[in-house]
Structure formats: C-alpha cells, structure tokens
Amino acid sequence: MASSSLKCLSSIVVLTTFFAISLKPCSGHNNTHWNTAGITWYGDREGPGSTGGACGYGDAVAKHPYRCMVSAGGPSLFKDGKGCGACYRLKCDHPLCTKKPIKVMISDECPGCTKEAVHFDLSGKAFGALAKRGKGDQLRNLGELKVSYKRACCKHPKAKIAIHVDSGANPYYMSFAVKFANGDGNFACIEVQPAGGKYLKMEEMRSAVWRLSPGVPLKGPFNIRLTSAVSGKKIVAKGVIPEKWSPGAIYHSKVNFPVQRKQK
C-alpha cells in the first residue's frame, strides 16, 4: 500500500507484511470529476482474473467481500505496488453497457498496459458487470473499451482486519498481509509487538510488502499497530497472531478503521 511522510516512533527493524488488502482513503480525492481510461479483461469470463496477482491477495479476491470485482492496473495505477488496494468507479457508455458505475479494487499488475495513460485490465466478472443484462459475453468479446473512471472509497462495514501470514514466514523473518482494512487504511507505517517486547517498525516493500528481520527469534502472541497515512489514527489488533502461529494462516482481529461517511 502507499507510503506516507508520516512516521511511527518505534525501533527500526525490517518486517515483511506480505500483503495488505488495505483500502485507500476516502478523503483527499476528487470524487466528482470523471477521467478517461482504457479497459481490457483477463482470466475466466466470470472469474477474478488471477488468484495469484502481484498484490499477493491470493484467492481472497474471489471471495466475500471482493467477489471477483477486481482489476490489474497499468503502471500509473499499480505504482510499483503502492496502488494495491485502491478502489475506483468505472462506467461505460457503449450501447451494450448499463452506464451504471461499478467499483473495482486494484489487486494485480499489468506491466504491458501502456497504450493509454490509465488502463484497467479487469477480471472477467468485472468487465461483464458493465454490460446490460444478458450482454456480458458480447461486451467481453469486444476485448477493449474506453470508460470513465474516478477514485472511490472501499468500505467493508461488517468486516474486521485480518492478518494473512506469508508461507515463507518464520520466527526470524515475519511476513504477513493486512486484509479488509477500511478506507482509512492507507498506512503510514505498521508495527509489530512480540510477546513481552516493544513495538518494532516494519519496512514497506514492493507490492504492499512489509518485512521484519530482527536477527533474533520473535515469539507470539503479536499485537499489530496500524497508523493511517491520512488521519494519523492508530489502531491495534491485539494478539491477532497467536503464540503458535503457522505460515500461510489467516488470523482475524476484532478491529477496523471507521467507515467514513459521505459528506453532504
């Protein structure tokens, strides 16, 4: 996810947070102006595009709350991984389209999508969702279209933040993903607190990856502290990674950033 000039005060260590389906802030964007972009689609016609995309979200993109409504982004959207988790509204004016906006989240990279300044390589399901009822296959058969787009706020009002531990994590090299963070989740930093220890600052890597290599084994349970890059708000997922944690496991917290309401 995107970095910020906001800084966490903590010990400097290197931690890998493998993937953050952290949703980008609702404020600070022009939510009234529509711009032009190109779209294509990939993967199965009703599928999520990829369940192994560059953002590291895995098969979560095919499940609730995303349900395949995702997109790979060209360079200007993917931003070397800092665009992962950003949401956009798209609408299509083609005769086969409903002209009603859909919302998609950036979950993958399309390095070759450079024909336009902004390009979405949508999942098959998302591309078809632009179409009128019964016209999804006809629209997908066109292959490429122009659409209008603008930034959107991703919200999961009933979801709590989850931590997806990377399969390569171990006591000396912790890696995990922050899933389902609400729109306040553009992180300034993420910190981890091992059992009996202090909070340790994590270093952000490409594709929303953060890492921690402290040089000594860390023991759980772990608290995870997230700092918003927009509001500076901090939340703590207490004990979210248990003492006997497993690589590849997903652990659910009891917290999330507040869902921002639209200003009238």
Side-chain angles (χ1 to χ4, degrees), residues 247-259:
I250 298 175
Y251 300 106
H252 295 270
S253 77
K254 297 181 180 180
V255 298
N256 208 335
F257 287 100
V259 174

Side-chain angles (χ1 to χ4, degrees), residues 89-108:
R89 291 192 183 277
L90 309 178
K91 64 179 181 179
C92 166
D93 290 329
H94 191 276
L96 292 173
C97 293
T98 65
K99 298 180 176 58
K100 295 180 180 179
I102 65 168
K103 184 188 290 187
V104 298
M105 183 189 73
I106 300 299
S107 64
D108 200 355

